[in-house]
């Protein structure tokens, strides 16, 4: 895949693993019809702080690189470059795969999925906090279970199909949480499940843009702007990076047409207000 690469020039300092001040940050993403628009937008967003210039393959490996998207991250990992990297525009599932592809001690993967903390805040404003989260894979959800400690975690029976698990869950609760990496599910299957749960008067909560498009009534996720701001935060303010983190700045999305049948008190205005309050505590 041909890639367009850009880098960010900044007068700010980053304390990296080598503790050397820098003034250049790479920006690397796939060449597609939106590439120029995305670059121009990032250039405008950072106009008061960064000058963006075209990437050079001769860029020093001591300087950090921002990568947008999973496929671009894979390509960069295969290049053999050992720059410190911040990845944006990926899901928690993709983050798990990237951690296996590259030694991520010098990589920070910023996931745009909802965090369990964000979903816990959402549960606090529901008319009935009687939530259920079915799962087939227990090894990926320990952090979610620890934080959503009031939620009923329903395990799948041996060899139980996902749809049958969801049918059982619908009988036990009035709000359903789709947790990332908790069960085998595709967007097409999610669409069927969300439609079924709607007919059962069960409120559905997702964690990503795709889950909202599949029919979840409420979701939270970070957009491109919020991911860029998160990358800037770590470059400017965080000299030590974890291997992965959720983008703190996020927005709630609600399908008011669907939810008014089940929980009419949950509106865009309410969720926008809550997102604003939560985002104020981020960076």
């Amino acid at each position: 895949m041909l890639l367009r690469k850009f880098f960010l020039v900044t007068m700010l300092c980053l304390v990296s693993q080598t503790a050397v001040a820098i003034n250049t940050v790479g920006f690397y993403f796939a060449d597609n019809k939106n590439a120029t628009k995305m670059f121009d937008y990032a250039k405008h967003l950072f106009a008061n702080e960064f000058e963006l210039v075209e990437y050079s393959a001769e860029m020093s490996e001591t300087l950090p690189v921002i990568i947008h998207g999973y496929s671009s991250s894979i390509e960069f990992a295969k290049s053999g470059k050992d720059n410190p990297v911040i990845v944006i525009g990926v899901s928690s599932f993709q983050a798990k795969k990237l951690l296996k592809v590259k030694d991520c001690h010098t990589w920070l993967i910023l996931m745009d999925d909802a965090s369990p903390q964000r979903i816990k805040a959402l549960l606090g404003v529901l008319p009935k906090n009687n939530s259920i989260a079915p799962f087939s894979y227990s090894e990926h959800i320990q952090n979610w279970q620890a934080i959503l400690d009031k939620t009923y975690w329903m395990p799948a029976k041996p060899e139980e199909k996902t749809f049958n698990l969801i049918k059982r869950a619908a009988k036990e609760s009035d709000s359903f949480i789709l947790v990332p990496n908790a069960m085998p599910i595709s967007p097409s299957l999610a669409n069927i499940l969300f439609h079924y749960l709607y007919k059962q008067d069960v409120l559905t909560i997702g964690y990503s843009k795709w889950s909202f498009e599949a029919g979840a009534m409420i979701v939270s996720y970070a957009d491109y702007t919020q991911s860029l701001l998160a990358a800037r935060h770590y470059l400017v303010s965080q000299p030590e990076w974890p291997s992965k983190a959720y983008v703190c700045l996020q927005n709630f999305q609600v399908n008011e047409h669907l939810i008014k049948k089940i929980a009419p008190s949950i509106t865009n205005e309410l969720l926008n207000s809550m997102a604003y309050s939560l985002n104020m505590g981020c960076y």
Side-chain angles (χ1 to χ4, degrees):
M1 177 188 297
L2 293 175
L3 295 169
R4 292 186 62 184
K5 309 166 183 106
F6 304 91
F7 52 66
L8 255 359
V9 174
T10 173
M11 301 307 294
L12 297 169
C13 295
L14 169 70
V15 182
S16 66
Q17 288 188 338
T18 57
V20 175
I22 62 170
N23 59 13
T24 304
V25 178
F27 201 87
Y28 184 112
F29 54 87
D31 186 10
N32 57 48
K33 64 180 182 180
N34 294 319
T36 300
K37 184 183 297 185
M38 293 172 69
F39 173 70
D40 289 344
Y41 178 76
K43 182 177 181 179
H44 173 74
L45 184 66
F46 298 142
N48 295 328
E49 299 167 292
F50 307 117
E51 178 188 2
L52 282 82
V53 296
E54 190 172 353
Y55 175 84
S56 168
E58 289 74 36
M59 180 177 176
S60 170
E61 292 189 9
T62 64
L63 301 179
V65 178
I66 298 174
I67 305 178
H68 181 271
Y70 177 75
S71 61
S72 299
S73 302
I74 293 293
E75 289 293 328
F76 190 88
K78 290 179 179 178
S79 73
K81 295 285 187 177
D82 199 31
N83 301 70
V85 165
I86 296 180
V87 177
I88 64 173
V90 295
S91 68
S92 55
F93 177 74
Q94 291 169 330
K96 288 174 59 65
K97 295 169 69 174
L98 285 174
L99 287 170
K100 297 177 181 179
V101 170
K102 174 69 177 177
D103 178 3
C104 290
H105 291 299
T106 56
W107 282 42
L108 164 59
I109 303 173
L110 292 173
M111 302 171 289
D112 52 22
D113 292 349
S115 67
Q117 292 86 351
R118 182 74 46 143
I119 298 301
K120 183 173 184 177
L122 171 62
L123 294 176
V125 302
L126 296 184
K128 298 178 182 178
N129 190 357
N130 179 29
S131 58
I132 193 167
F135 66 94
S136 301
Y137 308 134
S138 60
E139 63 270 24
H140 303 311
I141 60 172
Q142 289 91 344
N143 186 42
W144 281 80
Q145 288 178 309
I147 293 171
L148 302 186
D149 54 346
K150 305 300 183 183
T151 294
Y152 171 42
W153 291 85
M154 174 180 281
K157 297 177 180 179
E159 300 184 5
E160 185 176 26
K161 299 289 187 181
T162 299
F163 186 72
N164 292 332
L165 174 60
I166 300 304
K167 287 178 67 176
R168 285 201 298 121
K171 298 177 181 179
E172 300 290 337
S173 181
D174 48 36
S175 57
F176 164 88
I177 304 171
L178 180 64
V179 175
N181 309 312
M183 66 183 77
I185 192 167
S186 64
S188 58
L189 176 57
N191 180 260
I192 295 171
L193 296 176
F194 288 138
H195 182 69
Y196 171 80
L197 291 167
Y198 172 74
K199 292 196 297 183
Q200 303 302 311
D201 292 334
V202 176
L203 187 150
T204 50
I205 299 169
Y207 60 87
S208 60
K209 183 178 181 180
W210 78 260
S211 59
F212 187 66
E213 293 171 345
M217 296 177 195
I218 311 174
V219 301
S220 180
Y221 61 87
D223 60 21
Y224 179 57
T225 300
Q226 292 164 333
S227 295
L228 287 172
L229 293 174
R232 182 180 68 181
H233 165 72
Y234 281 97
L235 287 169
V236 173
S237 305
Q238 298 294 324
E240 296 183 4
W241 301 344
S243 60
K244 63 179 181 177
Y246 291 100
V247 175
C248 184
L249 296 170
Q250 295 194 2
N251 294 324
F252 288 108
Q253 304 291 334
V254 57
N255 188 323
E256 290 187 295
H257 175 71
L258 295 180
I259 205 171
K260 66 181 180 181
K261 171 189 173 186
I262 299 170
S265 63
I266 304 300
T267 63
N268 266 317
E269 291 76 15
L270 173 66
L271 295 182
N272 287 342
S273 177
M274 180 171 26
Y276 177 81
S277 297
L278 293 171
N279 290 342
M280 287 295 289
C282 286
Y283 310 133

